[in-house]
């Protein structure tokens, strides 16, 4: 081994160890001192202190996390939409009719205006064409392959490295304090599950999300679950408390989101008896990530809208708003 | 205290302690020696032995259990049907039209022939009338109250005491060996959850079942989930693998059922790679519980049918059939 490289390697290894020790000492090392960090630490101390009137038994320590924009990047578009567009491009040779059929034509021609004009109905058609018609096992393999090869257009990294390091620390911190952590996302449950355990430490049975219907079939005598082009459940907005109740059957005591789609989840969490923690991530860091609202005068966006009225509800109810710019000294897990 | 009673009490307490010690020594004390018991113990030893080629890591140790007829009594009718009939009787004064409307009239007149004639559609009407139209919190209170007061017509015990002691031992034995145990029942998820933790040690988030739709609403500014008279999901037959995939996202390595409704769950479990355990409880003990099939020449029944063709599939595939009569030296938990 070249001596200079060897020294460099040793130095890097030492730094990794030192960083590791620092992380052990402070589980929330990527969080700056401030109201957001204090709200987390105070809440956890109160509910884990057996002598506190706010003590919560371990079985009731349920925390739910939105995914897109709360745990990982959702701009310039939802990661799953990027996946759907890539799938449509890949399948196009089997569908010559897509060249002249919207919304597929828009995807193949990279015509974002035509894609926008196709609206929600158009997006649904793209999802059905790209997410249905195969077994759950085949879909899983497709998703894993995509995560291994796709790169974010701005950060040139795998999407799984564009998860927010402070939120990952929060997940581990809560679990170290007896919490069961769940994802409750508008995104597809089968799109998330192949990566949540490795990236967030969240096993598949703690992932709640939108889904299409599946059908049990015997293929060559072997049972498979075929994915059908039919919506089963939309886990967004008023669907989030419905999904939480269906999957968990208990009310969370802490919930984390970033957009209008998370309001009802936070309301549902807040309405329970006893101590509660509701937090919303505000994307106000155009340099290190993105800045969008339109709350606080930030730019409008179709992906992860944080409206003025959600901000009003947060202020009125004491929900804690996390400023990416001020509260986080590191954004992405990739920087580790 | 009367001296005789006091001695009796002491004797009973001593016996309880002795039984407790015996149970600690043999976690499956209610199981007689035989093929069923051996199949369980051999399987668990193989998959927990790190030096065995059949070793399964803890995260993959998922076991799914049907409820009606597998974990608790389902005759003379499903417990939830008894609940629905009681609810209809209780609500009848608010519905004078039920006196002359089927299937309600049949319930109020105890006319089992007319009830049977109403068929599946009639049963669905009874369920909707008795299970919907209130919040999830109110329904939970109704269910808990019913469990506290209802008694089984033959055994004169609360239904929660008519759970099968050998199966409860099996649940605890599997969990002591790193398994996560799930219920996967055709019964209602919200009907089971109020009692599964206490009776089976299974928390609400590990209960999968049939469900009706719920809707998030603000009532006097407070969020509630209202139960709607609309089927959401039927967790039976081919629905069981669908429900397992949706809620757990992993394939079980062990599954336990007792009827035709469990076949697809066992097929789905069996079709995975590596060691598997599939078992079916056969109700062949007319003295201590009930005897029905029609497999093995037992009586036909509309509740928990175990058909000849299911028996054939079990034999062909090496699924283990548990004989209540021969394999269990105790039936109900109530006898403890």
């Amino acid at each position: 081994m070249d001596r200079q490289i060897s020294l460099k390697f040793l130095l890097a290894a030492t730094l990794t160890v030192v960083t590791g020790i620092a992380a052990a000492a402070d589980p929330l090392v990527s969080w700056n001192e401030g109201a957001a960090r204090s709200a987390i630490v105070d809440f956890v101390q109160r509910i884990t202190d057996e002598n506190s009137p706010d003590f919560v038994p371990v079985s009731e320590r349920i925390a739910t996390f939105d995914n897109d924009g709360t745990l990982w990047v959702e701009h310039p578009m939802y990661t799953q939409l990027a996946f759907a567009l890539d799938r449509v491009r890949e399948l196009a040779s089997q569908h010559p009719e897509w060249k002249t059929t919207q919304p597929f034509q828009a995807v193949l021609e990279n015509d974002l205006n035509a894609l926008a004009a196709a609206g929600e109905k158009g997006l649904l058609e793209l999802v059905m064409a790209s997410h249905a018609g195969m077994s759950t096992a085949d879909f899983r393999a497709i998703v894993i392959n995509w995560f291994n090869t796709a790169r974010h257009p701005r950060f040139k990294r795998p999407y799984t490295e564009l998860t927010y390091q402070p939120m990952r620390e929060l997940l581990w911190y809560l679990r170290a304090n007896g919490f069961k952590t769940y994802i409750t996302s508008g995104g597809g449950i089968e799109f998330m599950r192949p990566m949540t355990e490795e990236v967030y430490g969240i096993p598949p049975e703690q992932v709640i999300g939108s889904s299409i219907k599946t059908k049990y079939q015997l293929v060559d005598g072997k049972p498979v679950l075929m994915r059908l082009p039919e919506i089963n459940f939309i886990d967004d907005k008023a669907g989030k408390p419905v999904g939480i109740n269906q999957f968990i059957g208990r009310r969370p005591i802490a919930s984390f989101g970033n957009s209008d789609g998370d309001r009802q989840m936070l309301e549902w969490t807040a309405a329970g008896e006893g101590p509660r923690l509701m937090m919303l991530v505000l994307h106000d860091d155009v340099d290190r990530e993105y800045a969008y609202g339109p709350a606080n005068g930030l730019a409008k966006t179709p992906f992860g809208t944080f409206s003025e009225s959600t901000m009003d509800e947060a202020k009125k109810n004491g929900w804690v708003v996390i400023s990416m710019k001020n509260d986080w000294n590191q954004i992405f897990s990739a920087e580790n």
Side-chain angles (χ1 to χ4, degrees), chain A residues 69-116:
Chain A
T70 299
L71 295 180
W72 73 353
V73 68
E74 65 180 349
H75 272 211
M77 66 176 76
Y78 296 130
T79 302
Q80 194 171 359
L81 180 55
F83 166 76
L85 300 187
D86 280 355
R87 282 294 292 160
V88 166
R89 288 179 201 114
E90 199 169 317
L91 295 168
S93 63
Q94 298 166 42
H95 295 273
E97 75 280 8
W98 285 357
K99 280 186 190 159
T100 53
T101 318
Q102 292 297 8
F104 303 98
Q105 184 182 347
V107 176
L108 301 178
E109 295 175 356
N110 279 315
D111 182 348
L112 294 183
N113 288 332
L115 192 58

Side-chain angles (χ1 to χ4, degrees), chain A residues 165-282:
Chain A
Q165 180 60 18
M167 297 305 283
R168 294 177 77 238
E169 291 168 8
L170 176 56
L171 286 166
W172 267 264
Y173 176 62
L174 290 176
R175 287 196 294 262
N177 282 284
F179 277 79
K180 216 165 183 174
T181 52
Y182 282 83
I183 286 176
T184 46
S185 171
I189 194 166
E190 303 272 18
F191 179 73
M192 296 182 283
R193 277 177 170 160
M195 66 86 184
T196 57
E197 187 139 35
E198 194 182 324
V199 173
Y200 303 132
I202 294 181
E205 61 267 31
Q206 284 160 230
V207 178
I208 309 171
S210 297
S211 56
I212 59 178
K213 288 196 190 291
T214 63
K215 188 175 168 28
Y216 180 82
Q217 289 182 336
L218 293 179
V219 174
D220 300 330
K222 205 178 144 68
V224 297
L225 289 169
M226 287 299 295
R227 291 170 58 82
L228 308 181
E230 194 183 337
I231 290 289
N232 178 56
F233 180 62
I234 301 291
D235 190 52
D236 199 29
K237 299 194 169 71
K240 290 207 178 191
V242 169
I244 286 170
N245 182 63
Q246 193 179 354
F247 277 74
I248 312 179
R250 306 192 213 248
R251 195 190 298 256
I253 63 166
S255 279
F256 305 86
N258 77 299
S259 80
D260 290 7
D262 301 313
R263 283 172 79 155
Q264 289 86 347
M265 174 170 77
L266 269 61
E267 290 168 0
W268 181 244
T269 303
E273 300 280 321
R276 304 281 144 171
L277 179 64
M278 285 67 61
M279 300 185 87
L280 288 168
V281 175
L282 180 68

